[in-house]
Amino acid sequence: MAETFNAFVITRDDDTKEQSAGWTTVSMEDLPEGDVTLRVRHTTMNYKDALAITNKSPVVRRFPMVPGIDIAGEVTASDSPDFAVGDEVIMNGWGVGEVHWGGYAQYARMKSDWLLKKPAGLSGADCMAIGTAGYTAALCVQRLLDAGLTPDKGTVLVTGANGGVGSFSVALLSALGFTVAASTGRPEEADYLKSLGASEIVDRAELSEKGRPLDKELYAGAVDSVGSTTLANVLSKVKYDGTVAACGLAQGFDLPATVMPFILRGVTLAGVDSVMAPKPRREAAWALLDKHLDRAKLAEITQEADIKDVADIAPDLIAGKIRGRLLFKVD
């Protein structure tokens, strides 16, 4: 194991509070506390990573910080009985990249409770192409399945369908036999969404403006990553006894809704958190991805990029100029 290695480090001046970031050499002794050390092999970029790098939002809460909330790699040292040297592992969330050093480095040190064994049917690169976005989508789909949703009950709506969570939700639901309606504000992406399995394209404008407290029953369930007025309208359109899995706030964190869908139609609003989800729930989500995610569709929404360019890529991701998932190989 190397004594020093390369890492992308975000620092902040204590006096001016100005943030700077770049690649530098760090020591193994600089790694944070944890009982498992990893050689990072692959990572990706999420919206949260891009916010941390560009300082568009106060994501980082401890400095210096290495961003990268998703990691795939192999164990190089372990004090945990659950992991041995050479084990291939993955990690998502747990405040990594915010308060604990993440995956934009050749090595990382983690708490063993945060790690999962890599699913047998997926490579480390596959897992990072999926990343937190796909893992969150799987958590959402699992919530719908746990609520008893089956394909015969009708169409499932996916909002923010062009985003990472939305794209994976469309692909997973389609693979499970559901008829999927995909909501997007980019009509030029209709063919892309249909290639992932969407049967119907819904204009985002139909959901983003104030609607009726109780509308026509159109959908058996939904995956929503948008929140705010969009989620309120989705709830108003869900059929009796339907379920909506909510995981995001792209439009806003408010919810200008009424209780009518809940008390007149028995609709369930199921919250989904990916950051602190317990290990059994994570394992179930990754098992769902391993079994049902179409590898050809995964390849279609994935593009490889050079990790050396993360500082240049982050602003483009925030601006919505990057479609699908980015995959970084950590050399």
Side-chain angles (χ1 to χ4, degrees):
M1 191 185 305
E3 293 184 2
T4 61
F5 59 94
N6 294 322
F8 186 86
V9 181
I10 300 172
T11 58
R12 187 177 68 178
D13 187 285
D14 291 336
D15 296 324
T16 65
K17 304 303 181 183
E18 290 186 3
Q19 180 175 298
S20 60
W23 288 96
T24 187
T25 300
V26 298
S27 167
M28 294 296 293
E29 295 180 356
D30 294 326
L31 287 172
E33 292 183 359
D35 53 349
V36 179
T37 302
L38 315 175
R39 172 65 169 92
V40 181
R41 295 299 183 187
H42 294 89
T43 185
T44 182
M45 183 178 288
N46 294 279
Y47 195 75
K48 185 179 289 186
D49 298 317
L51 289 175
I53 292 169
T54 59
N55 198 24
K56 294 291 186 181
S57 180
V59 170
V60 178
R61 290 178 283 158
R62 184 177 297 167
F63 296 91
M65 180 54 57
V66 175
I69 68 174
D70 292 319
I71 296 173
E74 60 191 47
V75 175
T76 58
S78 174
D79 292 325
S80 167
D82 297 325
F83 298 97
V85 172
D87 283 349
E88 294 185 86
V89 295
I90 57 174
M91 199 289 311
N92 313 96
W94 296 115
V96 169
E98 300 174 66
V99 296
H100 189 97
W101 283 18
Y104 291 1
Q106 291 176 291
Y107 287 89
R109 184 171 291 140
M110 299 288 154
K111 296 181 180 180
S112 56
D113 289 344
W114 298 350
L115 301 173
L116 297 179
K117 297 285 183 67
K118 181 186 67 64
L122 294 167
S123 68
D126 290 337
C127 291
M128 290 300 95
I130 293 167
T132 289
Y135 151 64
T136 303
L139 288 172
C140 290
V141 172
Q142 191 64 57
R143 286 300 293 266
L144 298 182
L145 297 176
D146 290 345
L149 189 63
T150 52
D152 60 289
K153 293 185 177 179
T155 299
V156 178
L157 174 67
V158 176
T159 66
N162 270 108
V165 174
S167 296
F168 281 107
S169 296
V170 170
L172 269 179
L173 288 164
S174 174
L176 288 164
F178 288 93
T179 300
V180 183
S183 171
T184 179
R186 299 163 63 187
E188 68 274 13
E189 299 289 355
D191 289 342
Y192 165 70
L193 291 170
K194 288 180 178 179
S195 74
L196 295 180
S199 300
E200 175 188 351
I201 306 299
V202 178
D203 191 329
R204 179 175 63 193
E206 295 181 25
L207 300 169
S208 60
E209 302 296 330
K210 184 178 180 181
R212 299 175 181 176
L214 204 63
D215 214 324
K216 294 181 180 179
E217 297 180 63
L218 298 178
Y219 308 110
V223 173
D224 175 71
S225 60
V226 179
S228 192
T229 304
T230 295
L231 177 54
N233 285 324
V234 170
L235 290 166
S236 76
K237 297 175 185 292
V238 171
K239 295 180 180 181
Y240 191 90
D241 209 25
T243 298
V244 178
C247 67
L249 40 66
Q251 186 178 8
F253 57 77
D254 60 323
L255 182 57
T258 74
V259 299
M260 293 176 70
F262 309 116
I263 65 174
L264 297 181
R265 291 182 182 163
V267 171
T268 297
L269 176 57
V272 174
D273 164 63
S274 62
V275 177
M276 306 302 289
K279 184 171 285 191
R281 197 173 297 165
R282 291 169 179 265
E283 290 173 337
W286 279 102
L288 186 71
L289 289 160
D290 190 4
K291 183 176 181 180
H292 294 289
L293 184 63
D294 187 316
R295 304 313 193 255
K297 291 179 180 177
L298 176 61
E300 185 176 341
I301 64 176
T302 302
Q303 55 178 306
E304 293 191 33
D306 193 328
I307 195 169
K308 290 183 294 184
D309 298 328
V310 290
D312 297 324
I313 293 170
D316 288 341
L317 190 146
I318 289 176
K321 296 179 181 179
I322 296 173
R323 185 179 77 178
R325 298 289 299 160
L326 290 171
L327 174 64
F328 298 127
K329 182 178 180 181
V330 184
D331 291 324

